[in-house]
Amino acid sequence: MADRAEQNAWVSRVLGQLPARINWDPPADLVWESGGFALGDTQLNATTEPGGLRLAFDPPAGQRLGVGTHTLTASLAPGQIYSAQPKQVQLKVGKIPARIVWNPPANVIWVPGGFTPGATQLDAATDPPGGQIVYVHETDGPLAPGPHRITARIAEDDNYEAAPVTHTLTVDKAPARIIWDTPASVPWTPPGGFIVGDTQLNATTEPPRLKIVYSGHDGGGKEVGDHPLTAKLDDPNYVAADTSVTLTVTKADPRLSWPRTSGHTKVKAGTRLTVNAPITNQVANPDNVALTFTPSAGAPLALGANTITVTASDTAHYIQTPRTFTLTIREEATIGLIKDIEVPADAEGKWIADVSALEVRTKPPGLAVVYDPPNGTDIYAGNAGITVSLDPSVTNYVAEQGWAKVTLVFPPKPEARPDDNEAVGTGEVRVTKGMLNKEYPYGAGNTTPHIHKYGDSFHIKLAGGQRLNLVQKGALYQDNLETTRQAVRGNATLLAIINALVKPYEG
């Protein structure tokens, strides 16, 4: 070998290097493999002319190449008598062809702040495996409800190549609920009806404080009847079923009343009243609604009790509960031909009342009357009288009472004994027996108070017409006596007379 080298060196000195040529067809493109592609004889297959010359390759055999286009150089190895221009070829190492395997992601539900896709949605892989996938989001940041396109592709500097795959991720609105109780019924409101307000439009949401829009009301008044109202969620991130309720508008209370539920009036004979302004104006009508009267305004009223009702004229909008007023009309009558009479006292010093002696007449004629005291009552001597009034059964007429003085005529009395004026029942006030023996020891029949004495009986008539028996047929009415003493305790003379009268009957 050394001799060969020496020979080549000698030839080179004497003759110069001999020309040669390197032939090398560009190698076929390759596909990258894990760890890089290792150069081998298949790629480093250059030849020489003349043949058999030794070649040196850069990069050398066994060198691992990455993805890309690489320049390979073949040169004659040193120590040969030939020289040749180095030969270069291009070797392309391509990426591994793959496909992206990615199933469309299922719909997801929005969460506060927005939905961020994670491993459950971004789960694409390569076939064959090993490629690095990156995702390109059409929408930046957390996702709002709606469709969002996401593309999976191989990373630019990766050794795999595949067609991108695009899927749509749909973010559904989060579920919510509208809570709305049926509003309480409301009365119709004049003049145009009930205006729906916050008291009725008070639906809430779960979760709370979501925006709601209402339909079924336009801001105008609602007529009497049922009105459907609907609440609809108006939120970009939540969904809820519409909720409807029914608002019932009832007829309004007209608030009518008669401050007095009954009244009386009297008219002159032949006069007739009608349902007139003095009557209708008595109605309390705070809302100033139009009124309907029954009998109608202007209708005549009869003597006696007349029932007048009032309701609201607007039957479509107001409750029709009648408010009633009773007006009793009485015609003025007279009780006449009453005269004072004198009648004889009987043996007991009294007169049994006979009202026929009064010759009472009424106008109009024939009206029933009552007497006080009544027919057949014992009337004793003194300033007595009988009152005549219309009978309570006479409801259509009214008349002033009549009164007739009744004077009892007695036979002449024997002269009084000397002791008749002896003081009795004294106390601070001294009364005489003569005073006690009078028919009216105190007062008179047409005044109050008065004491009326008849035989061994007497009563007192107090102010206001209260009549209390004190002694009747020798029997003392103790309860009436106590009541009387209390009633007259401020009248010393009257009290002294009463005490003197009842003294013989007290135990």
Side-chain angles (χ1 to χ4, degrees):
M1 187 70 181
D3 291 341
R4 177 78 175 200
E6 290 176 359
Q7 183 180 358
N8 288 340
W10 182 82
V11 171
S12 296
R13 286 193 301 271
V14 174
L15 301 177
Q17 287 189 316
L18 300 176
R21 187 169 60 144
I22 299 173
N23 298 317
W24 194 8
D25 294 331
D29 292 347
L30 302 173
V31 175
W32 182 87
E33 60 187 27
S34 179
F37 181 82
L39 286 173
D41 292 342
T42 303
Q43 292 78 38
L44 305 178
N45 60 352
T47 60
T48 63
E49 291 181 11
L53 299 180
R54 291 181 292 110
L55 295 172
F57 292 95
D58 181 25
Q63 177 76 41
R64 291 189 175 274
L65 303 179
V67 172
T69 300
H70 301 273
T71 300
L72 306 181
T73 302
S75 303
L76 288 178
Q80 300 181 87
I81 61 174
Y82 291 89
S83 68
Q85 286 284 61
K87 180 71 174 180
Q88 289 185 327
V89 295
Q90 301 293 317
L91 174 62
K92 184 177 181 180
V93 179
K95 294 184 177 183
I96 297 175
R99 70 185 181 92
I100 295 175
V101 181
W102 188 23
N103 294 323
N107 290 14
V108 295
I109 296 175
W110 181 86
V111 294
F115 182 84
T116 300
T120 301
Q121 293 76 39
L122 308 179
D123 60 349
T126 60
D127 181 20
Q132 180 184 356
I133 296 176
V134 293
Y135 297 91
V136 179
H137 297 264
E138 190 176 71
T139 305
D140 293 333
L143 304 181
H148 301 274
R149 287 169 57 86
I150 302 175
T151 298
R153 62 174 179 78
I154 302 297
E156 296 244 351
D157 58 352
D158 198 64
N159 295 318
Y160 289 76
E161 63 180 355
V165 175
T166 299
H167 286 316
T168 297
L169 173 63
T170 299
V171 179
D172 293 330
K173 292 184 177 183
R177 186 163 68 99
I178 296 175
I179 304 164
W180 195 8
D181 294 332
T182 299
S185 59
V186 294
W188 181 84
T189 305
F194 181 81
I195 304 298
V196 179
D198 292 342
T199 302
Q200 292 72 45
L201 306 179
N202 61 350
T204 59
T205 62
E206 192 177 272
R209 293 181 294 278
L210 302 182
K211 183 180 178 182
I212 293 174
V213 293
Y214 297 92
S215 60
H217 72 98
D218 55 5
K222 294 294 185 186
E223 286 295 312
V224 172
D226 292 337
H227 302 274
L229 304 174
T230 299
K232 184 181 182 67
L233 194 64
D234 183 21
D235 190 283
N237 301 318
Y238 289 90
V239 63
D242 295 351
T243 299
S244 295
V245 297
T246 298
L247 172 65
T248 298
V249 179
T250 62
K251 291 184 178 182
D253 183 353
R255 301 197 300 159
L256 304 177
S257 65
W258 298 89
R260 295 184 305 127
T261 57
S262 62
H264 299 80
T265 189
K266 61 182 179 179
V267 297
K268 293 186 179 299
T271 303
R272 290 294 178 264
L273 284 182
T274 62
V275 181
N276 53 22
I279 297 173
T280 58
N281 287 346
Q282 294 184 46
V283 176
N285 183 9
D287 298 326
N288 198 31
V289 301
L291 304 178
T292 296
F293 291 91
T294 304
S296 60
L301 298 173
L303 294 177
N306 292 267
T307 299
I308 303 170
T309 62
V310 61
T311 55
S313 299
D314 184 352
T315 60
H317 296 126
Y318 288 99
I319 298 169
Q320 293 297 298
T321 303
R323 306 301 181 188
T324 301
F325 174 73
T326 301
L327 176 63
T328 300
I329 303 174
R330 292 188 173 93
E331 187 175 284
E332 290 182 351
T334 57
I335 300 173
L337 300 178
I338 299 175
K339 63 182 181 179
D340 297 338
I341 58 174
E342 290 185 355
V343 295
D346 63 14
E348 297 180 2
K350 67 180 186 301
W351 174 64
I352 300 175
D354 179 5
V355 297
S356 63
L358 299 179
E359 300 182 20
V360 174
R361 299 288 186 271
T362 65
K363 185 179 181 181
L367 300 181
V369 296
V370 292
Y371 300 90
D372 183 24
N375 200 35
T377 301
D378 291 346
I379 295 179
Y380 290 86
N383 192 13
I386 297 177
T387 300
V388 184
S389 307
L390 287 180
D391 189 281
S393 64
V394 180
T395 58
N396 293 347
Y397 295 90
V398 61
E400 296 291 334
Q401 292 179 334
W403 187 79
K405 179 180 178 182
V406 179
T407 302
L408 272 65
V409 178
F410 290 87
K413 291 184 179 181
E415 293 184 6
R417 296 188 302 272
D419 61 350
D420 279 347
N421 288 323
E422 179 184 349
V424 295
T426 53
E428 295 183 3
V429 177
R430 299 177 66 83
V431 296
T432 64
K433 286 185 177 181
M435 179 184 295
L436 299 180
N437 288 333
K438 289 182 178 180
E439 182 179 358
Y440 285 90
Y442 187 92
N446 59 349
T447 64
T448 57
H450 70 239
I451 298 173
H452 186 197
K453 186 174 182 297
Y454 34 96
D456 60 353
S457 300
F458 53 92
H459 66 254
I460 186 168
K461 199 165 188 179
L462 300 172
Q466 184 180 16
R467 183 179 182 277
L468 298 174
N469 290 327
L470 298 178
V471 174
Q472 292 291 306
K473 297 182 180 179
L476 176 63
Y477 286 65
Q478 186 64 47
D479 290 344
N480 288 351
L481 176 60
E482 295 304 320
T483 300
T484 298
R485 283 172 170 164
Q486 287 296 319
V488 304
R489 62 185 180 277
N491 189 329
T493 300
L494 179 56
L495 183 59
I497 293 172
I498 292 171
N499 290 337
L501 286 171
V502 301
K503 185 174 182 181
Y505 306 98
E506 290 186 306

